[in-house]
Amino acid sequence: MIQLKAWADRLGDRIEMWRGKKVAVIFPTYNEKDSIRAATLEYLAGEFADEVIVVNNNAAPGTSEELRGTGAREIFESWQGYGHALLRGIDECDADLIVLSEPDGTFSAHDLIKLLSYSDDVPVVFGSRTSREFIWAGANMGRFLRWGNWAVAKMTELLFNTTILTDMGCTYRLFHQEALQLIRPHLTIGGSHFGPQLLMEVVAHHIPFVEIPVNYRTRVGESSVTGDLWKAFALGMRMIGLVLGYRFGLHHRSRTLWGQAFSVERRLAALSRSIANDSGALQGVEHEQLTPGAGPVNKT
């Protein structure tokens, strides 16, 4: 109990861990009872996560009990699905930098600093699990999953002339809050192919991004999707259909592009500064006029 209290006191002192920006990590959970506590503590024991938000998506019994005393914030989403869970977490999060991850032990909190470092330059950072040197022995990244994700990512890169892409389905991603708010009205998929839609909306909104390799470790337990070859194949086909749908206008909607939104934001900020300066000058004039005994100053 003493250790838990010390841990809670430490968490209470944490604010804005990365260059004055608050960093939150979001975990969707369904069948990760045996790994979620260790995954949560791994991020909170580091130097860069202010908060871990766990979205309980009809999770296995005992999941909530595993989270007690960790300092994580648990919220609930009754609509079943990977996308529904992550969207609930996004909607409940007020952090400046939002990191999506998995509580199954596959991703490492050690890589968080890499995502944060690149976030200084671009508003979106995607992780990639397909770099051979970062795939751990025993990780669920066989040839089919690895080359399938790589092929769909390369198809996307070719069709949309994006920067380098090598992994279509990696959950480990970082977003500036402004980038997520821009694309949030267009995120409609609640199932397992939510991740590719998230990527496609970043592309469709012309939001600058970069992809970096991340460690991919052995999963604790079995995935309900990629653990089954046929389910993984079906997911891959849906990913391909989604990308082609975006390319041929099936998902055409009115969008405010990142450059346009940024320009508007800059103009509003400039207007706000101008109003503040004018207000300050006016107050100074009024103060001078109303100061008792104020009069001309004789210079000698």
Side-chain angles (χ1 to χ4, degrees):
M1 293 299 293
I2 294 176
Q3 289 181 335
L4 289 179
K5 184 179 185 302
W7 183 264
D9 291 341
R10 182 184 174 193
L11 291 177
D13 293 336
R14 298 171 145 219
I15 54 171
E16 301 177 345
M17 300 288 280
W18 183 259
R19 306 191 194 285
K21 296 178 180 178
K22 182 179 179 181
V23 180
V25 178
I26 298 177
F27 284 153
T29 183
Y30 173 67
N31 190 30
E32 291 83 20
K33 179 179 75 70
D34 295 333
S35 58
I36 195 164
R37 184 177 184 86
T40 300
L41 293 177
E42 181 183 357
Y43 278 93
L44 291 177
E47 301 178 5
F48 304 110
D50 293 282
E51 181 181 31
V52 170
I53 299 173
V54 177
V55 185
N56 186 319
N57 192 210
N58 306 306
T63 299
S64 297
E65 287 75 10
E66 289 293 324
L67 288 170
R68 287 178 185 168
T70 62
R73 174 158 64 104
E74 184 181 19
I75 59 179
F76 295 84
E77 173 54 60
S78 58
W79 284 74
Q80 190 62 50
Y82 171 79
H84 289 306
L86 284 175
L87 286 173
R88 172 53 63 89
I90 290 169
D91 292 342
E92 296 282 343
C93 183
D94 64 354
D96 304 295
L97 301 174
I98 300 174
V99 179
L100 309 183
S101 187
E102 298 270 10
D104 56 11
T106 52
F107 294 120
S108 171
H110 170 76
D111 286 325
L112 180 56
I113 190 173
K114 296 194 294 189
L115 300 175
L116 290 169
S117 296
Y118 279 94
S119 76
D120 291 342
D121 299 310
V122 289
V124 176
V125 185
F126 293 126
S128 172
R129 307 160 296 170
T130 60
S131 294
R132 183 177 58 186
E133 290 77 8
F134 291 85
I135 302 174
W136 288 39
N140 183 28
M141 188 53 65
R143 290 184 179 179
F144 176 75
L145 288 176
R146 182 185 176 199
W147 292 110
N149 271 287
W150 181 89
V152 180
K154 286 302 175 186
M155 180 181 75
T156 304
E157 180 184 333
L158 176 65
L159 291 177
F160 294 91
N161 193 29
T162 71
T163 189
I164 295 173
L165 284 171
T166 63
D167 191 350
M168 202 66 183
C170 182
T171 298
Y172 211 178
R173 297 169 172 179
L174 179 148
F175 297 85
H176 283 228
Q177 178 74 249
E178 296 82 0
L180 274 179
Q181 291 304 313
L182 185 64
I183 66 177
R184 176 62 182 91
H186 304 270
L187 299 176
T188 57
I189 293 175
S192 299
H193 56 305
F194 167 77
Q197 187 192 37
L198 193 56
L199 188 152
M200 293 310 306
E201 284 298 333
V202 168
V203 172
H205 282 84
H206 296 183
I207 301 176
F209 70 88
V210 68
E211 183 191 77
I212 63 172
V214 295
N215 286 281
Y216 195 60
R217 306 182 298 194
T218 305
R219 190 189 197 281
V220 177
E222 185 173 321
S223 170
S224 59
V225 178
T226 57
D228 184 300
L229 183 61
W230 289 109
K231 286 183 179 180
F233 176 78
L235 177 59
M237 296 306 296
R238 296 185 79 173
M239 289 165 55
I240 292 172
L242 183 73
V243 173
L244 293 177
Y246 272 90
R247 181 63 182 88
F248 295 110
L250 300 183
H251 299 276
H252 178 73
R253 294 176 61 183
S254 177
R255 293 180 174 88
T256 301
L257 304 184
W258 177 258
Q260 297 170 339
F262 185 68
S263 297
V264 170
E265 183 179 331
R266 289 180 60 184
R267 288 197 295 269
L268 289 175
L271 178 61
S272 177
R273 288 194 298 269
S274 176
I275 293 173
N277 291 337
D278 291 344
S279 176
L282 180 60
Q283 288 178 359
V285 171
E286 291 176 347
H287 177 73
E288 183 178 340
Q289 291 175 345
L290 295 175
T291 300
V297 177
N298 294 323
K299 296 183 179 180
T300 58

